Amino acid sequence: MEAKTKLRVGSGQHERRISRHLYAHFIEHLGGCICDGIYVGDHPHIANIDGLRCDTIEALKKLQIPAVRWPGGLFADNYHWRDGIGPKSSRPIRQNLGWNSFENNQFGTHEFMQFCELIGAEPYLCLNLGSGTVEEAAAWAEYCNCALETTLTRERAANGHPTPFNVKYWSLGNEPGYPMDGMMRPGYYADVARQFAGYVKFIAAQAPHAQDPRFRQAGVKMTLADYRCAREAVAEGRNAYFDLLAVHLYAGRTAPPEASPLQQYRAMVAELPEWRRQLAEASALAAGLSTDEHAIELAIDEWGVWKHEATPLNGLQQSCTLGDALFAAAALHLFCAEPCAFMANLAQTINVLAAVILTDDEQFCRTPLYHVFDMLKVHQDAWLVPCELDKNDGDACYAIASQNDTGPLHLSVVNLSPDTSQNLHVELGQSVMQLKESWVLTGESIAAQNSFDDEKIAPRAFDTPKNSAKGFDIAVPACSLVLLVFE
Ligand code: AHR
């Protein structure tokens, strides 16, 4: 008889909730991500709401994206927020120093907030600590969050938003170590974090709705990516002045550019254990900074597939294949399994790197990765249920089970093998549950893609046997994501 791998799904014990913020996104003023992908101005043929394209909004709304990080990335290191407010006709055109292009500032703070509102996501702002000052950053926080009447909040009202935006998530700069922000003295970010965090929390506490206990509980969260500063704090036994430690993870360029797509894919899959190691290292650092009163968690606030073909010259555009989508599905499984992970932001939502949507003027399509986010959204805020594979050749399989408050249990399994199906025997601790629905996302090969004319890769019903008290057998096809729903 053919050997089967056992997949044991725990019986009713709930470990912890899976943070829904792990399904967050990241957009930047780069290539076609914002211009074309989200914002089309007064385009005569693309349906839009104040310039925000309706097809993109409708598709993203369905994904239940919890938060979106903006305006960069490298772009953030040179972004002066005042350039993007006020009448559009008077906004300056500037050089985009991060990506060697130009920025017309038609999509600024108010447009971003409207976009977030339309798709149902919370805004996450990345401060300019490259060429900006703490004063400029604090003024942006006041403009966005202050409920009292000040010159800045009057300006916000005059620009169409009398009530505060109440931005909860703020990133203290982007990637220390990059040309624009690698010049800071050790401890610079700690100082900024201390000043800025105090300021933002002060503003929030002044807001009338801060009296609402839920608001206090949720609080404002500050993210820091300066590990040098974090390590210093651990070494000196100091408290951290931030809440989230940032991790950026990109995979897809370890094989040489001339390697075949299959070799590239295998090399990329082989990077997942290194991601796991980096997450563990960052968690240990975060644990060293945490106190009983103040837990530091992780924000993997940029992650995804970055292939050789994506260069600054083409606006980081690349093919978006089934293989890339399955890699990302496996990564999402890793993040869900990491107790310290609070947020993860896919780089980048539209037209850039591993995107979920592609547009070209009036043309629009959802990539295979769109469907990964759509299928896996069931785990958002659900209780993580223990789930264990008794063997996993070459780390090909990733599985997560979760149960939400209303009862259904969801089991997702990714098979990264490009050519071999996985025969699993699933043992369900909660044997009273019955398999109600099964879905599969797959295609003819890891290289398969959707196009503007043909969205052939989309989830379809998956034929599985009825489960008995002893469990059931299932063959997870090569290069696929399977989702099983039990009730
Ligand atoms: O996502 C593309 C770029 O990758 C971001 O701008 C930068 O932060 C990172 O290096």
Side-chain angles (χ1 to χ4, degrees), residues 84-388:
I85 57 167
K88 288 186 181 166
S89 54
S90 359
R91 296 189 195 174
I93 298 172
R94 304 252 189 238
Q95 283 192 70
N96 177 337
L97 294 174
W99 296 104
N100 201 17
S101 58
F102 291 92
E103 174 53 45
N104 63 18
N105 284 304
Q106 298 300 289
F107 184 95
T109 302
H110 289 256
E111 290 74 25
F112 173 62
M113 298 298 169
Q114 189 181 3
F115 167 68
C116 286
E117 198 182 326
L118 286 167
I119 65 166
E122 287 183 275
Y124 172 14
L125 296 181
C126 182
L127 298 169
N128 173 359
L129 297 188
S131 64
T133 60
V134 179
E135 212 177 359
E136 183 186 3
W140 201 12
E142 181 176 326
Y143 185 87
C144 289
N145 281 11
C146 188
L148 303 178
E149 196 163 312
T150 68
T151 302
L152 278 172
T153 61
R154 274 194 198 150
E155 193 177 1
R156 183 189 66 219
N159 287 333
H161 214 276
T163 53
F165 293 119
N166 291 322
V167 178
K168 271 199 264 170
Y169 304 109
W170 297 86
S171 169
L172 295 156
N174 180 42
E175 288 175 340
Y178 269 69
M180 297 310 296
D181 51 2
M183 314 289 285
M184 305 305 175
R185 65 177 161 74
Y188 169 76
Y189 288 94
D191 291 347
V192 172
R194 201 178 303 123
Q195 288 176 43
F196 186 76
Y199 191 78
V200 171
K201 283 177 181 162
F202 172 76
I203 294 172
Q206 299 292 306
H209 69 270
Q211 306 315 320
D212 177 342
R214 279 168 311 166
F215 181 82
R216 278 178 190 280
Q217 221 178 8
V220 169
K221 284 190 191 279
M222 318 285 304
T223 308
L224 185 75
D226 185 341
Y227 282 41
R228 195 174 45 174
C229 144
R231 281 197 192 94
E232 271 172 24
V234 176
E236 293 167 14
R238 275 191 280 121
N239 284 348
Y241 291 93
F242 53 91
D243 313 275
L244 298 165
L245 189 62
V247 185
H248 289 184
L249 295 171
Y250 287 104
R253 286 174 292 177
T254 46
E258 60 278 11
S260 71
L262 186 58
Q263 285 167 331
Q264 302 275 2
Y265 173 74
R266 288 195 194 280
M268 180 171 77
V269 166
E271 290 182 70
L272 279 168
E274 171 58 16
W275 279 28
R276 196 184 272 131
R277 194 198 61 71
Q278 286 188 31
L279 286 176
E281 193 179 279
S283 300
L285 190 53
L289 287 161
S290 297
T291 61
D292 288 347
E293 297 77 46
H294 188 198
I296 307 293
E297 296 174 292
L298 300 184
I300 306 133
D301 58 11
E302 285 188 28
W303 72 273
V305 173
W306 186 332
K307 299 194 265 195
H308 291 291
E309 64 202 78
T311 68
L313 288 179
N314 69 3
L316 299 194
Q317 215 176 356
Q318 64 186 20
S319 52
C320 295
T321 64
L322 175 64
D324 304 336
L326 295 175
F327 173 89
L332 280 170
H333 281 64
L334 269 188
F335 302 159
C336 291
E338 171 49 62
C340 196
F342 170 76
M343 191 188 281
N345 305 69
L346 176 81
Q348 299 189 2
T349 314
I350 306 160
N351 292 330
V352 166
L353 300 177
V356 296
I357 289 172
L358 300 177
T359 63
D360 184 1
D361 202 33
E362 286 167 73
Q363 305 192 90
F364 174 95
C365 82
R366 288 161 299 182
T367 68
L369 184 53
Y370 177 92
H371 299 293
V372 164
F373 272 87
D374 198 22
M375 286 168 80
L376 295 181
K377 71 185 181 201
V378 292
H379 294 311
Q380 289 189 19
D381 269 349
W383 292 98
L384 184 67
V385 174
C387 178
E388 194 194 332

